[in-house]
């Protein structure tokens, strides 16, 4: 049986624009440029996409489950228009002081995903915009990818270097579309090497490589 090709994404700052006062409604949920198309790119290449997101606004009483569902309904409709989809959204509803096991940087959400899909998360690509995304993913055994949107938009080279030192081996990309293209093209190249052929590279967004 062919192994499940799985990618795990953060939400706020990776798929949609983040807000200092939290994304609290569907009206406030706005996709980042190219993000939904990036997810569709992964889907079309055979990847299943799931979301792992901290939503402490629930625990803080800033919005309720109906509002969260409305946000994800808007996301899913936008994805459908782009030709993509996410299989599921795993979220932590707890405030920081509740000491749960699922709030990133702890790996609980990732462990739930591994259990739900019956997959070993070692090497599964995980894409996020914050150090805690990377820490949770690495603890769960995932391959870490950082996008320079959300938390890392406008960050200094020194701040980026400190993050990469904390989670070495992380790939760095301009945005989700670039990360998706990197993953798709890397797999295509690996298949070409296995066949002993050379595929011409597709044109598309580039990626920044961590050093």
């Amino acid at each position: 049986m062919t192994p499940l090709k799985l990618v795990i994404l953060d939400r706020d700052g990776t798929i949609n624009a983040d807000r200092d006062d939290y994304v609290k409604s569907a009206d406030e949920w706005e996709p980042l440029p190219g993000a939904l198309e990036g997810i569709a790119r992964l889907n079309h290449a055979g990847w299943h996409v799931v979301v792992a997101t901290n939503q402490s606004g629930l625990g803080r009483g800033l919005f309720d489950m109906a509002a969260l569902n409305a946000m994800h309904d808007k996301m899913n409709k936008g994805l459908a228009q782009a030709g993509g989809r996410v299989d599921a959204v795993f979220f932590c509803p707890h405030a920081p002081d509740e000491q749960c096991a699922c709030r990133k940087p702890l790996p609980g959400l990732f462990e739930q995903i591994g259990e739900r899909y019956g997959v070993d998360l070692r090497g599964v690509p995980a894409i996020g915009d914050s150090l805690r995304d990377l820490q949770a993913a690495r603890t769960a055994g995932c391959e870490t990818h950082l996008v320079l949107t959300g938390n890392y938009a406008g960050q200094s080279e020194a701040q980026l270097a400190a993050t990469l030192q904390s989670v070495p081996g992380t790939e760095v990309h301009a945005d989700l579309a670039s990360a998706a293209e990197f993953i798709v093209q890397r797999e295509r190249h690996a298949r070409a090497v296995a066949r002993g052929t050379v595929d011409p590279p597709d044109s598309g967004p580039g990626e920044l490589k961590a050093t």
Side-chain angles (χ1 to χ4, degrees), residues 47-121:
W47 292 87
H48 293 261
V49 176
V50 299
V51 173
T53 176
N54 288 352
Q55 291 298 320
S56 68
L58 285 168
R60 300 172 194 268
L62 300 177
F63 55 85
D64 58 17
M65 276 302 305
L68 185 64
N69 289 336
M71 295 178 217
H72 294 157
D73 183 60
K74 183 177 181 180
M75 177 179 72
N76 291 331
K77 287 178 178 176
L79 278 167
Q81 292 176 351
R85 59 168 289 174
V86 296
D87 286 14
V89 177
F90 292 74
F91 63 92
C92 169
H94 304 108
D97 59 0
E98 293 185 68
Q99 298 183 333
C100 65
C102 55
R103 179 176 168 81
K104 293 181 286 185
L106 296 177
L109 289 177
F110 291 84
E111 292 168 354
Q112 291 175 28
I113 292 168
E115 292 171 4
R116 170 80 66 85
Y117 288 90
V119 299
D120 185 343
L121 294 181

Side-chain angles (χ1 to χ4, degrees), residues 182-196:
F182 173 84
I183 291 168
V184 169
Q185 293 296 340
R186 181 180 61 180
E187 183 195 33
R188 177 174 293 181
H189 177 72
R191 290 201 308 265
V193 170
R195 293 194 306 264

Side-chain angles (χ1 to χ4, degrees), residues 10-211:
D10 173 53
R11 199 196 79 171
D12 299 331
T14 301
I15 300 174
N16 59 279
D18 205 353
R19 295 169 58 105
D20 291 338
D21 60 346
Y22 299 88
V23 180
K24 302 177 293 299
S25 68
D27 287 342
E28 293 180 351
W29 193 96
E30 292 295 336
L32 289 166
L36 302 185
E37 292 78 7
I39 294 172
R41 178 76 167 115
L42 289 167
N43 294 153
H44 296 165
W47 292 87
H48 293 261
V49 176
V50 299
V51 173
T53 176
N54 288 352
Q55 291 298 320
S56 68
L58 285 168
R60 300 172 194 268
L62 300 177
F63 55 85
D64 58 17
M65 276 302 305
L68 185 64
N69 289 336
M71 295 178 217
H72 294 157
D73 183 60
K74 183 177 181 180
M75 177 179 72
N76 291 331
K77 287 178 178 176
L79 278 167
Q81 292 176 351
R85 59 168 289 174
V86 296
D87 286 14
V89 177
F90 292 74
F91 63 92
C92 169
H94 304 108
D97 59 0
E98 293 185 68
Q99 298 183 333
C100 65
C102 55
R103 179 176 168 81
K104 293 181 286 185
L106 296 177
L109 289 177
F110 291 84
E111 292 168 354
Q112 291 175 28
I113 292 168
E115 292 171 4
R116 170 80 66 85
Y117 288 90
V119 299
D120 185 343
L121 294 181
R122 285 178 294 182
V124 168
I127 305 171
D129 73 306
S130 71
L131 176 58
R132 66 188 178 193
D133 294 329
L134 303 179
Q135 290 170 326
R138 178 59 57 83
T139 301
C142 294
E143 174 187 270
T144 50
H145 295 257
L146 177 67
V147 289
L148 301 181
T149 52
N151 281 286
Y152 274 85
Q155 293 282 349
S156 69
E157 291 186 8
Q159 290 168 314
L160 177 60
T163 295
L164 298 180
Q165 187 174 17
S166 298
V167 191
T170 296
E171 296 280 353
V172 183
H173 312 275
D175 52 25
L176 179 52
S178 298
E181 189 68 18
F182 173 84
I183 291 168
V184 169
Q185 293 296 340
R186 181 180 61 180
E187 183 195 33
R188 177 174 293 181
H189 177 72
R191 290 201 308 265
V193 170
R195 293 194 306 264
T197 62
V198 178
D199 286 353
D202 282 355
S203 61
E207 74 282 344
L208 304 172
K209 300 280 284 187
T211 57

